[in-house]
Amino acid sequence: MSLENLLFHLVDIFYKEKIVTAYVKDFKGKRLHLFLPTGKEELISHTALVSVSKEKIQGENLSFLENLLKEKNEERERLKEKFDLRELWEVVVDELREASSWELVELYLGRAPSSDEVAAFMRKILEDKIYFGFETRDFVKIRTREEVVQLLHQREKEFERLKLLSEGEAFISSLLQGKKGVLPEEREYFFLQGLKEYVLSEEASGERNKILKEILTRHGLTEPTKIVSLLIKVGFVEENWFFELEKMKFPCEFSDEELKEAEQILNQPLSLEKRRDLRHLYTFTIDAPETEDYDDALSVEEASDHITLYVHIADVSSFVKPGSLLWEGALERASTLYLPEKIIPMFPFFLSHGKFSLKKEEERVVLTFQFTLNEEGEILSFDISPSVIKVKDRLSYEEVDKWLDEGHPLFQKLYEILMKQKEKRQRAGAFAVILPEIQVRVLPDGEITVQKIEMTKARDLVSEAMILANYYTANFLKEHEIPALYRSQKEPFQVFEERETSLFYQILQLKFMAKSELSTEPNYHSGLGLSCYTTVTSPIRRALDLLIQYQLRAYLMNEKILSKEDILRILPELQSNLQRAQFLQARRKRYFLLKYLERYKKNEALAGLVLEVQGKKAKIYLPDYNLTGETLRFKEAIRPGQDVIVKLEKINPLEEVLRLQII
């Protein structure tokens, strides 16, 4: 039918995503000049045609046409319901691939149809979209059985999606109001579990999670911490759920196979072959009172003009070898996690806190680093040997500090000699900024304790002894060309001399410090002032130290060492896993520090230090907690470096919000 033949006919057309009945007044090119049920007139492409009435209507006024179009529109919508498309499709599916709408309606009705009935039929197939497909005006495609099966499946999925969307929207809206019970219990659990999975993966896999992501995005809830807040609010997860631990897939448990391997190690007798017997020495550990996994111990022998210092390190590598499950597990964990509420060890507890730990009155195999130092702190001789020891005393930092204050002859001499080693490093350019450590503990009853730990003489003594062992290990590995991993640190990007006397400049200096790096090549470590450095003194707690210890011990005992290629393969994984462990420890510590402030210091005045000022916004450092917060308003002008007194204004441990108010 040409466009001219459409003049003065009623037509059904696609118009603004709907089908409406219109009247053809004229045409221009390939566009129809239509009068619409709204009383408006528009030019619309002929391709929008769905159905054309056979009857012409001429000479009628516009008011009559407007009413007629509305009536026809309503009538055709009503007539749609008389057609059972599946019934008609079953009749023609095996006979026809396409047909005119007039023929199909006549077949269905058993008589000649009216224009309204054909138009209604076309509306029905466009609404249904399953059994028949729209080809062009008044002409349809009959879908195959395979196509119908596929479309029905798609419709079922879409119906389920819409149902999920409706339920999900109602569920999320109720959660935001702190309510439960809008859905049956099993459906609420279904969606709560979906929210938990979303938090842990942020991947919208599965229809449920895709829909949840759509709803969460609409409500501005894409941040995992906001979703966790909702889950806590309705009691689906515990208040202090450490979701990052699960999200980052840190292995908190040991597999049955790992435990079986650990049991075999536990039952393995100590082999003293090729080891020096140093059980006669007065050997002691110095640690915090709560420490239970002892990596290191010391022995000291005094002569008139020198001392002999023994640094004993638990020989974990004689039990845990490359390729074993515990070795691979240690690399995956990278380190023991010391969280405020618990310890997640790198090895099963009965090894880390038992067989490997240098416990009092227990024989243990170790690597011993033996130094002979004169009173000027110079190293006269050095030796590394596999040995066996028995710890005679378990000392705390507090005890040793007391002895040093009282002038204990042996400890005082050892301290003074080791401090000369430290002075030597400082003269060589050692450049470190050491702020007090903030220790956070969560007690079994839920109480949170915070303690500021300053660098005392006893801690300095132990630290220097470990630095000495690590440095000489690095030198030994370098000189004997044993493949290893070294720690290095470049010079600061900028140096602030004021840091010596100013906390503000100490913190500012930290921003300009280069990060420590791991590589297979020995390089200068500016923080320690040493030409090369590695770590070997904590093999129970750090995978890097275990690796270095293995290389060192294997070389000393003529066993096979790892090649440089082996270590290069390990390095990326070790670095990544170490960063993960460091992030998790820092994140959890900050969380409980904020919890502590929220719970115990809500209305207290706190000492603060202004770090940065930008307009009416400033960063404030809390020295007693090693935390930085912000203030969004202050009456008087403040400047960086200024001491202030603040109180808490807003705090959200989960979202790491710390807003302060200057008072």
Side-chain angles (χ1 to χ4, degrees):
M1 182 182 285
S2 70
L3 296 189
E4 188 174 352
N5 292 333
L6 296 176
L7 286 174
F8 316 125
H9 285 263
L10 295 184
V11 295
D12 267 12
I13 61 160
F14 288 110
Y15 180 72
K16 293 185 178 178
E17 301 181 355
K18 292 193 297 184
I19 297 174
V20 298
T21 306
Y23 174 72
V24 183
K25 289 187 69 176
D26 202 352
F27 65 93
K28 292 184 180 180
K30 293 190 176 184
R31 293 194 295 171
L32 300 171
H33 181 180
L34 299 177
F35 182 77
L36 299 169
T38 58
K40 294 182 179 179
E41 297 183 26
E42 286 196 34
L43 289 173
I44 296 176
S45 170
H46 72 95
T47 58
L49 282 170
V50 174
S51 181
V52 180
S53 298
K54 287 185 176 180
E55 305 83 12
K56 279 188 176 183
I57 298 174
Q58 289 181 290
E60 303 296 342
N61 64 44
L62 295 181
S63 177
F64 169 80
L65 281 175
E66 186 176 338
N67 288 330
L68 177 65
L69 293 175
K70 288 178 181 176
E71 288 173 8
K72 289 291 183 184
N73 210 46
E74 291 172 3
E75 175 69 5
R76 292 173 179 189
E77 282 296 304
R78 185 182 63 78
L79 286 172
K80 281 191 313 186
E81 303 312 312
K82 74 189 300 180
F83 295 102
D84 185 330
L85 296 185
R86 182 181 178 86
E87 182 182 324
L88 175 59
W89 174 78
E90 288 285 7
V91 173
V92 299
V93 62
D94 297 322
E95 305 295 331
L96 301 171
R97 291 277 64 85
E98 55 187 17
S100 79
S101 55
W102 291 87
E103 291 171 342
L104 290 172
V105 176
E106 184 173 350
L107 176 65
Y108 184 80
L109 297 176
R111 60 172 171 78
S114 69
S115 295
D116 289 338
E117 288 171 326
V118 173
F121 174 74
M122 292 299 287
R123 290 186 181 206
K124 183 75 170 181
I125 68 164
L126 284 163
E127 179 184 273
D128 179 75
K129 299 178 184 177
I130 299 292
Y131 301 100
F132 300 92
F134 177 74
E135 289 277 288
T136 183
R137 63 176 182 256
D138 290 325
F139 210 78
V140 299
K141 170 188 175 184
I142 293 96
R143 301 197 192 279
T144 66
R145 292 187 183 277
E146 292 77 14
E147 288 175 322
V148 168
V149 168
Q150 186 178 3
L151 288 168
L152 284 171
H153 178 64
Q154 288 175 357
R155 173 173 285 184
E156 188 178 342
K157 284 180 67 177
E158 179 60 17
F159 175 77
E160 182 62 28
R161 195 189 79 83
L162 291 173
K163 181 184 175 185
L164 275 173
L165 192 62
S166 174
E167 285 185 330
E169 180 63 48
F171 175 71
I172 296 297
S173 297
S174 70
L175 280 193
L176 289 170
Q177 298 170 41
K179 297 178 183 176
K180 284 182 71 179
V182 295
L183 298 177
E185 188 176 337
E186 69 275 7
R187 296 302 290 168
E188 290 206 339
Y189 180 84
F190 174 79
F191 282 110
L192 286 166
Q193 192 62 34
L195 287 177
K196 185 175 180 181
E197 287 176 16
Y198 179 83
V199 166
L200 295 178
S201 68
E202 292 186 48
E203 293 292 330
S205 58
E207 197 60 36
R208 172 187 62 184
N209 289 6
K210 287 178 182 176
I211 282 172
L212 281 173
K213 184 174 183 179
E214 183 181 331
I215 298 169
L216 291 168
T217 301
R218 192 156 59 239
H219 284 279
L221 291 171
T222 52
E223 283 294 318
T225 52
K226 294 186 182 297
I227 302 167
V228 173
S229 291
L230 286 178
L231 293 174
I232 292 171
K233 197 174 184 179
V234 296
F236 189 71
V237 297
E238 63 182 24
E239 181 186 353
N240 296 318
W241 180 39
F242 192 7
F243 74 91
E244 290 101 335
L245 195 66
E246 292 183 49
K247 183 175 181 177
M248 300 184 83
K249 295 180 171 57
F250 188 91
C252 299
E253 305 293 336
F254 294 93
S255 68
D256 290 342
E257 292 78 11
E258 284 177 306
L259 291 173
K260 184 178 178 181
E261 193 174 278
E263 288 280 359
Q264 291 171 348
I265 291 172
L266 183 65
N267 296 323
Q268 187 178 325
L270 295 181
S271 173
L272 306 186
E273 188 181 351
K274 299 182 184 178
R275 291 184 181 274
R276 290 175 66 192
D277 189 347
L278 299 179
R279 286 174 287 187
H280 64 282
L281 292 174
Y282 172 66
T283 299
F284 53 89
T285 59
I286 307 176
D287 279 286
E290 65 273 12
T291 301
E292 294 179 19
D293 50 344
Y294 301 97
D295 283 292
D296 57 86
L298 302 176
S299 304
V300 186
E301 290 182 317
E302 187 178 16
S304 59
D305 59 348
H306 68 269
I307 64 167
T308 301
L309 169 66
Y310 301 84
V311 179
H312 309 288
I313 306 300
D315 188 359
V316 179
S317 66
S318 66
F319 300 103
V320 180
K321 305 291 177 67
S324 68
L325 292 174
L326 290 177
W327 175 277
E328 295 301 324
L331 291 179
E332 187 180 0
R333 292 171 177 84
S335 77
T336 291
L337 281 193
Y338 292 93
L339 306 177
E341 73 274 37
K342 63 181 177 180
I343 295 171
I344 304 177
M346 194 168 76
F347 296 111
F349 253 77
F350 57 83
L351 293 182
S352 65
H353 290 58
K355 183 152 189 168
F356 294 164
S357 185
L358 305 185
K359 301 180 84 170
K360 185 177 177 181
E361 299 301 334
E362 298 282 351
E363 290 184 353
R364 291 291 184 259
V365 291
V366 294
L367 277 189
T368 295
F369 301 81
Q370 182 177 333
F371 302 90
T372 304
L373 303 97
N374 64 20
E375 293 185 358
E376 299 306 312
E378 295 170 339
I379 308 293
L380 304 178
S381 66
F382 165 67
D383 180 62
I384 310 175
S385 60
S387 60
V388 57
I389 63 165
K390 181 185 280 190
V391 172
K392 304 294 195 301
D393 243 335
R394 174 182 173 179
L395 306 177
S396 69
Y397 290 119
E398 289 75 11
E399 284 178 285
V400 176
D401 276 322
K402 183 181 178 183
W403 290 349
L404 287 170
D405 289 342
E406 292 171 352
H408 186 290
L410 180 59
F411 279 94
Q412 188 64 36
K413 189 170 186 178
L414 175 62
Y415 174 75
E416 288 173 1
I417 288 174
L418 286 175
M419 288 309 101
K420 286 175 181 174
Q421 276 290 314
K422 183 176 183 178
E423 289 164 11
K424 182 181 175 183
R425 290 193 298 104
Q426 290 171 334
R427 287 194 299 272
F431 192 98
V433 175
I434 301 173
L435 297 174
E437 179 190 348
I438 306 298
Q439 187 183 77
V440 188
R441 300 278 185 213
V442 180
L443 304 181
D445 62 359
E447 183 186 351
I448 305 169
T449 65
V450 172
Q451 181 183 5
K452 183 190 280 191
I453 299 175
E454 304 279 357
M455 179 59 84
T456 66
K457 288 182 177 181
R459 290 176 182 275
D460 220 358
L461 182 153
V462 173
S463 174
E464 286 303 314
M466 298 307 121
I467 289 171
L468 198 59
N470 287 329
Y471 170 56
Y472 271 80
T473 296
N475 260 328
F476 187 91
L477 295 167
K478 176 184 174 183
E479 289 170 5
H480 293 83
E481 297 182 344
I482 304 169
L485 287 173
Y486 297 89
R487 286 196 175 278
S488 62
Q489 186 180 29
K490 294 177 181 176
E491 299 281 356
F493 307 119
Q494 185 177 340
V495 174
F496 296 92
E497 299 298 340
E498 301 93 330
R499 75 187 186 285
E500 298 290 345
T501 56
S502 166
L503 176 60
F504 171 71
Y505 280 102
Q506 279 184 329
I507 297 167
L508 186 60
Q509 182 68 72
L510 288 173
K511 292 185 178 182
F512 293 87
M513 300 288 280
K515 288 185 178 180
S516 174
E517 297 176 0
L518 273 181
S519 80
T520 55
E521 300 301 322
N523 288 300
Y524 180 66
H525 195 297
S526 71
L528 297 170
L530 296 171
S531 58
C532 61
Y533 194 69
T534 190
T535 53
V536 72
T537 52
S538 290
I540 298 175
R541 309 174 187 186
R542 292 194 298 249
L544 172 62
D545 297 47
L546 173 66
L547 170 65
I548 298 303
Q549 186 187 73
Y550 175 81
Q551 292 293 84
L552 188 58
R553 189 195 62 81
Y555 178 85
L556 293 170
M557 301 188 81
N558 296 314
E559 296 176 6
K560 184 181 178 183
I561 62 174
L562 295 172
S563 68
K564 186 174 181 179
E565 289 70 28
D566 292 330
I567 290 176
L568 283 170
R569 279 193 294 271
I570 290 171
L571 179 56
E573 177 193 3
L574 184 59
Q575 283 181 312
S576 174
N577 292 340
L578 189 57
Q579 288 169 0
R580 175 182 64 177
Q582 289 168 342
F583 167 81
L584 289 170
Q585 285 192 155
R587 174 71 182 95
R588 199 57 167 170
K589 185 175 182 177
R590 181 175 172 86
Y591 172 82
F592 275 110
L593 269 173
L594 292 175
K595 273 265 182 186
Y596 175 84
L597 292 177
E598 182 182 45
R599 187 181 296 179
Y600 304 112
K601 304 292 179 180
K602 207 153 193 175
N603 299 309
E604 288 191 20
L606 306 171
L609 175 66
V610 181
L611 297 183
E612 189 179 301
V613 180
Q614 290 183 337
K616 284 295 179 182
K617 185 177 179 180
K619 286 186 178 180
I620 308 290
Y621 176 71
L622 303 181
D624 291 332
Y625 305 100
N626 195 22
L627 283 175
T628 300
E630 65 176 16
T631 180
L632 301 181
R633 61 184 186 276
F634 34 90
K635 296 176 182 178
E636 298 177 3
I638 57 175
R639 68 183 188 284
Q642 180 179 334
D643 291 322
V644 291
I645 302 298
V646 298
K647 69 176 182 179
L648 301 174
E649 183 177 291
K650 182 180 179 182
I651 191 164
N652 186 322
L654 187 60
E655 296 180 18
E656 296 192 290
V657 173
L658 176 58
R659 193 176 302 160
L660 306 165
Q661 181 181 344
I662 297 175
I663 56 177

PDB file of all heavy atoms in Angstrom, residues 35-54:
ATOM      1  N   PHE A  35      -3.084  12.928  12.807  1.00  0.00           N
ATOM      2  CA  PHE A  35      -3.858  13.553  13.876  1.00  0.00           C
ATOM      3  C   PHE A  35      -3.942  12.539  15.007  1.00  0.00           C
ATOM      4  O   PHE A  35      -4.348  11.390  14.802  1.00  0.00           O
ATOM      5  CB  PHE A  35      -5.258  13.933  13.374  1.00  0.00           C
ATOM      6  CG  PHE A  35      -6.089  14.627  14.415  1.00  0.00           C
ATOM      7  CD1 PHE A  35      -5.868  15.968  14.727  1.00  0.00           C
ATOM      8  CD2 PHE A  35      -7.100  13.949  15.096  1.00  0.00           C
ATOM      9  CE1 PHE A  35      -6.634  16.613  15.693  1.00  0.00           C
ATOM     10  CE2 PHE A  35      -7.858  14.591  16.061  1.00  0.00           C
ATOM     11  CZ  PHE A  35      -7.630  15.928  16.362  1.00  0.00           C
ATOM     12  N   LEU A  36      -3.548  12.932  16.217  1.00  0.00           N
ATOM     13  CA  LEU A  36      -3.404  12.011  17.348  1.00  0.00           C
ATOM     14  C   LEU A  36      -4.567  12.137  18.331  1.00  0.00           C
ATOM     15  O   LEU A  36      -5.270  13.164  18.345  1.00  0.00           O
ATOM     16  CB  LEU A  36      -2.086  12.291  18.073  1.00  0.00           C
ATOM     17  CG  LEU A  36      -0.818  12.111  17.219  1.00  0.00           C
ATOM     18  CD1 LEU A  36       0.386  12.674  17.940  1.00  0.00           C
ATOM     19  CD2 LEU A  36      -0.613  10.640  16.893  1.00  0.00           C
ATOM     20  N   PRO A  37      -4.765  11.145  19.187  1.00  0.00           N
ATOM     21  CA  PRO A  37      -5.864  11.194  20.163  1.00  0.00           C
ATOM     22  C   PRO A  37      -5.760  12.380  21.121  1.00  0.00           C
ATOM     23  O   PRO A  37      -6.751  12.770  21.738  1.00  0.00           O
ATOM     24  CB  PRO A  37      -5.723   9.881  20.937  1.00  0.00           C
ATOM     25  CG  PRO A  37      -4.937   8.984  20.071  1.00  0.00           C
ATOM     26  CD  PRO A  37      -4.044   9.851  19.260  1.00  0.00           C
ATOM     27  N   THR A  38      -4.578  12.942  21.242  1.00  0.00           N
ATOM     28  CA  THR A  38      -4.381  14.102  22.138  1.00  0.00           C
ATOM     29  C   THR A  38      -4.873  15.398  21.516  1.00  0.00           C
ATOM     30  O   THR A  38      -4.890  16.435  22.173  1.00  0.00           O
ATOM     31  CB  THR A  38      -2.881  14.255  22.452  1.00  0.00           C
ATOM     32  OG1 THR A  38      -2.171  14.416  21.217  1.00  0.00           O
ATOM     33  CG2 THR A  38      -2.353  13.042  23.189  1.00  0.00           C
ATOM     34  N   GLY A  39      -5.249  15.323  20.214  1.00  0.00           N
ATOM     35  CA  GLY A  39      -5.647  16.535  19.507  1.00  0.00           C
ATOM     36  C   GLY A  39      -4.492  17.200  18.804  1.00  0.00           C
ATOM     37  O   GLY A  39      -4.680  18.191  18.092  1.00  0.00           O
ATOM     38  N   LYS A  40      -3.264  16.661  18.982  1.00  0.00           N
ATOM     39  CA  LYS A  40      -2.093  17.230  18.315  1.00  0.00           C
ATOM     40  C   LYS A  40      -1.916  16.612  16.944  1.00  0.00           C
ATOM     41  O   LYS A  40      -2.444  15.541  16.636  1.00  0.00           O
ATOM     42  CB  LYS A  40      -0.835  16.968  19.141  1.00  0.00           C
ATOM     43  CG  LYS A  40      -0.815  17.689  20.473  1.00  0.00           C
ATOM     44  CD  LYS A  40       0.496  17.390  21.201  1.00  0.00           C
ATOM     45  CE  LYS A  40       0.540  18.122  22.540  1.00  0.00           C
ATOM     46  NZ  LYS A  40       1.796  17.834  23.271  1.00  0.00           N
ATOM     47  N   GLU A  41      -1.143  17.308  16.110  1.00  0.00           N
ATOM     48  CA  GLU A  41      -0.793  16.789  14.789  1.00  0.00           C
ATOM     49  C   GLU A  41       0.727  16.702  14.678  1.00  0.00           C
ATOM     50  O   GLU A  41       1.428  17.604  15.118  1.00  0.00           O
ATOM     51  CB  GLU A  41      -1.362  17.693  13.694  1.00  0.00           C
ATOM     52  CG  GLU A  41      -2.884  17.742  13.710  1.00  0.00           C
ATOM     53  CD  GLU A  41      -3.454  18.594  12.577  1.00  0.00           C
ATOM     54  OE1 GLU A  41      -2.770  18.723  11.530  1.00  0.00           O
ATOM     55  OE2 GLU A  41      -4.564  19.118  12.734  1.00  0.00           O
ATOM     56  N   GLU A  42       1.222  15.589  14.088  1.00  0.00           N
ATOM     57  CA  GLU A  42       2.675  15.399  13.963  1.00  0.00           C
ATOM     58  C   GLU A  42       3.004  14.686  12.675  1.00  0.00           C
ATOM     59  O   GLU A  42       2.178  13.953  12.112  1.00  0.00           O
ATOM     60  CB  GLU A  42       3.218  14.581  15.142  1.00  0.00           C
ATOM     61  CG  GLU A  42       3.287  15.349  16.433  1.00  0.00           C
ATOM     62  CD  GLU A  42       4.171  14.658  17.467  1.00  0.00           C
ATOM     63  OE1 GLU A  42       5.171  14.039  17.049  1.00  0.00           O
ATOM     64  OE2 GLU A  42       3.852  14.753  18.670  1.00  0.00           O
ATOM     65  N   LEU A  43       4.261  14.910  12.209  1.00  0.00           N
ATOM     66  CA  LEU A  43       4.790  14.159  11.073  1.00  0.00           C
ATOM     67  C   LEU A  43       5.594  12.982  11.616  1.00  0.00           C
ATOM     68  O   LEU A  43       6.531  13.174  12.388  1.00  0.00           O
ATOM     69  CB  LEU A  43       5.692  15.049  10.209  1.00  0.00           C
ATOM     70  CG  LEU A  43       4.997  16.144   9.393  1.00  0.00           C
ATOM     71  CD1 LEU A  43       6.020  17.041   8.723  1.00  0.00           C
ATOM     72  CD2 LEU A  43       4.085  15.527   8.334  1.00  0.00           C
ATOM     73  N   ILE A  44       5.201  11.760  11.215  1.00  0.00           N
ATOM     74  CA  ILE A  44       5.845  10.556  11.744  1.00  0.00           C
ATOM     75  C   ILE A  44       6.195   9.630  10.594  1.00  0.00           C
ATOM     76  O   ILE A  44       5.412   9.479   9.636  1.00  0.00           O
ATOM     77  CB  ILE A  44       4.924   9.840  12.754  1.00  0.00           C
ATOM     78  CG1 ILE A  44       4.683  10.750  13.966  1.00  0.00           C
ATOM     79  CG2 ILE A  44       5.538   8.522  13.217  1.00  0.00           C
ATOM     80  CD1 ILE A  44       3.718  10.201  14.970  1.00  0.00           C
ATOM     81  N   SER A  45       7.352   8.987  10.665  1.00  0.00           N
ATOM     82  CA  SER A  45       7.806   8.079   9.606  1.00  0.00           C
ATOM     83  C   SER A  45       6.810   6.942   9.397  1.00  0.00           C
ATOM     84  O   SER A  45       6.233   6.415  10.353  1.00  0.00           O
ATOM     85  CB  SER A  45       9.180   7.504   9.958  1.00  0.00           C
ATOM     86  OG  SER A  45       9.528   6.464   9.067  1.00  0.00           O
ATOM     87  N   HIS A  46       6.665   6.541   8.155  1.00  0.00           N
ATOM     88  CA  HIS A  46       5.749   5.442   7.824  1.00  0.00           C
ATOM     89  C   HIS A  46       6.214   4.117   8.439  1.00  0.00           C
ATOM     90  O   HIS A  46       5.422   3.182   8.582  1.00  0.00           O
ATOM     91  CB  HIS A  46       5.627   5.303   6.300  1.00  0.00           C
ATOM     92  CG  HIS A  46       6.855   4.739   5.644  1.00  0.00           C
ATOM     93  ND1 HIS A  46       6.996   3.412   5.363  1.00  0.00           N
ATOM     94  CD2 HIS A  46       8.004   5.339   5.235  1.00  0.00           C
ATOM     95  CE1 HIS A  46       8.172   3.205   4.791  1.00  0.00           C
ATOM     96  NE2 HIS A  46       8.804   4.368   4.704  1.00  0.00           N
ATOM     97  N   THR A  47       7.491   4.044   8.796  1.00  0.00           N
ATOM     98  CA  THR A  47       8.000   2.796   9.400  1.00  0.00           C
ATOM     99  C   THR A  47       7.424   2.555  10.792  1.00  0.00           C
ATOM    100  O   THR A  47       7.586   1.470  11.343  1.00  0.00           O
ATOM    101  CB  THR A  47       9.539   2.835   9.501  1.00  0.00           C
ATOM    102  OG1 THR A  47       9.935   3.963  10.287  1.00  0.00           O
ATOM    103  CG2 THR A  47      10.181   2.920   8.114  1.00  0.00           C
ATOM    104  N   ALA A  48       6.765   3.567  11.373  1.00  0.00           N
ATOM    105  CA  ALA A  48       6.152   3.409  12.697  1.00  0.00           C
ATOM    106  C   ALA A  48       4.790   2.732  12.625  1.00  0.00           C
ATOM    107  O   ALA A  48       4.184   2.445  13.652  1.00  0.00           O
ATOM    108  CB  ALA A  48       6.021   4.772  13.376  1.00  0.00           C
ATOM    109  N   LEU A  49       4.324   2.431  11.425  1.00  0.00           N
ATOM    110  CA  LEU A  49       3.001   1.825  11.261  1.00  0.00           C
ATOM    111  C   LEU A  49       2.972   0.393  11.788  1.00  0.00           C
ATOM    112  O   LEU A  49       3.884  -0.392  11.531  1.00  0.00           O
ATOM    113  CB  LEU A  49       2.606   1.812   9.783  1.00  0.00           C
ATOM    114  CG  LEU A  49       2.114   3.149   9.196  1.00  0.00           C
ATOM    115  CD1 LEU A  49       1.993   3.037   7.692  1.00  0.00           C
ATOM    116  CD2 LEU A  49       0.786   3.544   9.816  1.00  0.00           C
ATOM    117  N   VAL A  50       1.894   0.064  12.474  1.00  0.00           N
ATOM    118  CA  VAL A  50       1.683  -1.292  12.980  1.00  0.00           C
ATOM    119  C   VAL A  50       0.518  -1.956  12.250  1.00  0.00           C
ATOM    120  O   VAL A  50       0.603  -3.099  11.810  1.00  0.00           O
ATOM    121  CB  VAL A  50       1.398  -1.274  14.501  1.00  0.00           C
ATOM    122  CG1 VAL A  50       1.035  -2.666  15.006  1.00  0.00           C
ATOM    123  CG2 VAL A  50       2.592  -0.715  15.255  1.00  0.00           C
ATOM    124  N   SER A  51      -0.570  -1.202  12.115  1.00  0.00           N
ATOM    125  CA  SER A  51      -1.774  -1.755  11.494  1.00  0.00           C
ATOM    126  C   SER A  51      -2.545  -0.627  10.808  1.00  0.00           C
ATOM    127  O   SER A  51      -2.515   0.527  11.269  1.00  0.00           O
ATOM    128  CB  SER A  51      -2.653  -2.422  12.560  1.00  0.00           C
ATOM    129  OG  SER A  51      -3.800  -2.980  11.984  1.00  0.00           O
ATOM    130  N   VAL A  52      -3.256  -0.996   9.703  1.00  0.00           N
ATOM    131  CA  VAL A  52      -4.017  -0.001   8.939  1.00  0.00           C
ATOM    132  C   VAL A  52      -5.460  -0.484   8.793  1.00  0.00           C
ATOM    133  O   VAL A  52      -5.714  -1.631   8.385  1.00  0.00           O
ATOM    134  CB  VAL A  52      -3.410   0.223   7.538  1.00  0.00           C
ATOM    135  CG1 VAL A  52      -4.224   1.257   6.768  1.00  0.00           C
ATOM    136  CG2 VAL A  52      -1.953   0.652   7.654  1.00  0.00           C
ATOM    137  N   SER A  53      -6.413   0.364   9.166  1.00  0.00           N
ATOM    138  CA  SER A  53      -7.833   0.021   8.997  1.00  0.00           C
ATOM    139  C   SER A  53      -8.210   0.056   7.522  1.00  0.00           C
ATOM    140  O   SER A  53      -7.648   0.829   6.735  1.00  0.00           O
ATOM    141  CB  SER A  53      -8.710   1.007   9.765  1.00  0.00           C
ATOM    142  OG  SER A  53      -8.432   0.925  11.138  1.00  0.00           O
ATOM    143  N   LYS A  54      -9.203  -0.766   7.150  1.00  0.00           N
ATOM    144  CA  LYS A  54      -9.646  -0.782   5.753  1.00  0.00           C
ATOM    145  C   LYS A  54     -10.535   0.425   5.438  1.00  0.00           C
ATOM    146  O   LYS A  54     -10.562   0.924   4.314  1.00  0.00           O
ATOM    147  CB  LYS A  54     -10.415  -2.079   5.466  1.00  0.00           C
ATOM    148  CG  LYS A  54      -9.509  -3.305   5.383  1.00  0.00           C
ATOM    149  CD  LYS A  54     -10.306  -4.534   4.988  1.00  0.00           C
ATOM    150  CE  LYS A  54      -9.364  -5.736   4.803  1.00  0.00           C
ATOM    151  NZ  LYS A  54     -10.094  -6.963   4.424  1.00  0.00           N
TER     152      LYS A  54
END
